[in-house]
Amino acid sequence: PPASGQHQAAPGRPPPPKPEEAAVRGRRILAAAAALLLPLSGCGRVGELPYAREMEDMALMRTLGVDLEDGGVRVTASSGVQSRGVDQGEEPPLVLSSVSGTVSGACLAMQSYGTSYVFYGHVGQLLLGEDMAGSGLVEALDYIERDPEMRLGTELFVVRGATAADALFSAASESASAAERLEAIEDDEGEQPDAMTRSVGDVLSDLSKHGAAFAPALELREKREGDGGAGEKQLASAGYAIFRED
């Protein structure tokens, strides 16, 4: 018979671990669990968190324009008019532009233009120059679809007779940006029965299902005397652009 205070293993079963063996095994399990969690944290050191940015340190872009240029693409980004604070007035829109081999490369290059972090998560409108719409549509839409900051609900427009960069720079003033101008156009067009906005997701879906799609077109048109700034150009509606897969 076993001595008092000793455990006898049941036939066919391993003997229970001693207390010190159980403690060592527990420490090994915890160490293994910690090792498994390290790759999930996205960094190499425990306790390191993603860098938090204050809103005032970010340039919140609202409109993106893409054009073909020099064998690559030119990406132009415009913020909206932003308040400087209580009784401080408004800050005019920030417009940045960069040329690169890819849309993502041009967007990344704009991060080096100043001290503010350029944030694209607020982009709600994508303008394509006529050349880009004809030859680089897939690349531009693919960027919107794949980039984690962008959204498929982003509205799509094609600029006729000018570049998207021209459109964004022309729309920027002390008190307005391309985003505000496009919203005004949509409000005016919304009163017409055939008016329709189209998102990147809509166009991608139509191209996949039907091999063709359409989106609203814009043009730079001289302002009338009653609009203020006679002789200057502003964005205006110009019907629709049709896309067909080759």
Side-chain angles (χ1 to χ4, degrees):
S4 176
Q6 294 181 344
H7 298 282
Q8 184 176 14
R13 296 182 182 178
K18 297 179 181 180
E20 60 272 17
E21 292 176 347
V24 171
R25 185 178 301 175
R27 287 194 294 270
R28 287 175 178 170
I29 292 174
L30 289 175
L36 288 172
L37 287 174
L38 276 175
L40 300 179
S41 68
C43 58
R45 289 179 291 178
V46 178
E48 188 172 316
L49 297 176
Y51 176 69
R53 295 181 175 89
E54 299 293 338
M55 291 294 289
E56 57 266 26
D57 297 330
M58 301 171 68
L60 307 179
M61 296 303 173
R62 295 187 58 192
T63 310
L64 207 65
V66 187
D67 299 292
L68 288 181
E69 184 168 324
D70 298 333
V73 293
R74 174 177 292 278
V75 176
T76 307
S78 174
S79 69
V81 175
Q82 300 181 24
S83 172
R84 288 193 176 102
V86 180
D87 299 328
Q88 298 297 315
E90 293 181 328
E91 179 122 6
L94 174 66
V95 184
L96 304 175
S97 192
S98 177
V99 177
S100 181
T102 63
V103 176
S104 59
C107 289
L108 184 61
M110 284 188 273
Q111 296 292 0
S112 65
Y113 283 5
T115 57
S116 297
Y117 175 77
V118 182
F119 181 64
Y120 300 103
H122 283 198
V123 169
Q125 301 143 338
L126 173 66
L127 275 60
L128 300 181
E130 203 162 6
D131 289 344
M132 190 72 191
S135 303
L137 176 68
V138 173
E139 179 185 353
L141 300 190
D142 184 66
Y143 171 75
I144 301 296
E145 184 178 23
R146 294 176 181 276
D147 188 89
E149 285 188 354
M150 304 301 291
R151 297 169 291 174
L152 287 175
T154 299
E155 295 175 347
L156 179 64
F157 300 87
V158 175
V159 183
R160 284 180 171 161
T163 65
D166 289 339
L168 295 187
F169 279 106
S170 296
S173 68
E174 290 293 321
S175 59
S177 71
E180 282 84 19
R181 178 58 189 160
L182 290 171
E183 288 167 359
I185 292 174
E186 290 174 11
D187 289 342
D188 292 341
E189 294 289 318
E191 299 177 1
Q192 302 179 18
D194 60 343
M196 183 180 297
T197 59
R198 302 284 287 167
S199 70
V200 170
D202 292 333
V203 172
L204 285 171
S205 177
D206 284 353
L207 288 173
S208 175
K209 293 178 181 177
H210 312 297
F214 68 95
L218 304 167
E219 65 181 2
L220 285 172
R221 189 180 300 167
E222 286 192 3
K223 292 182 179 180
R224 299 168 296 183
E225 290 186 9
D227 295 331
E232 296 179 5
K233 291 187 176 182
Q234 68 175 3
L235 280 173
S237 177
Y240 291 90
I242 306 297
F243 310 112
R244 292 188 179 90
E245 286 188 337
D246 295 333

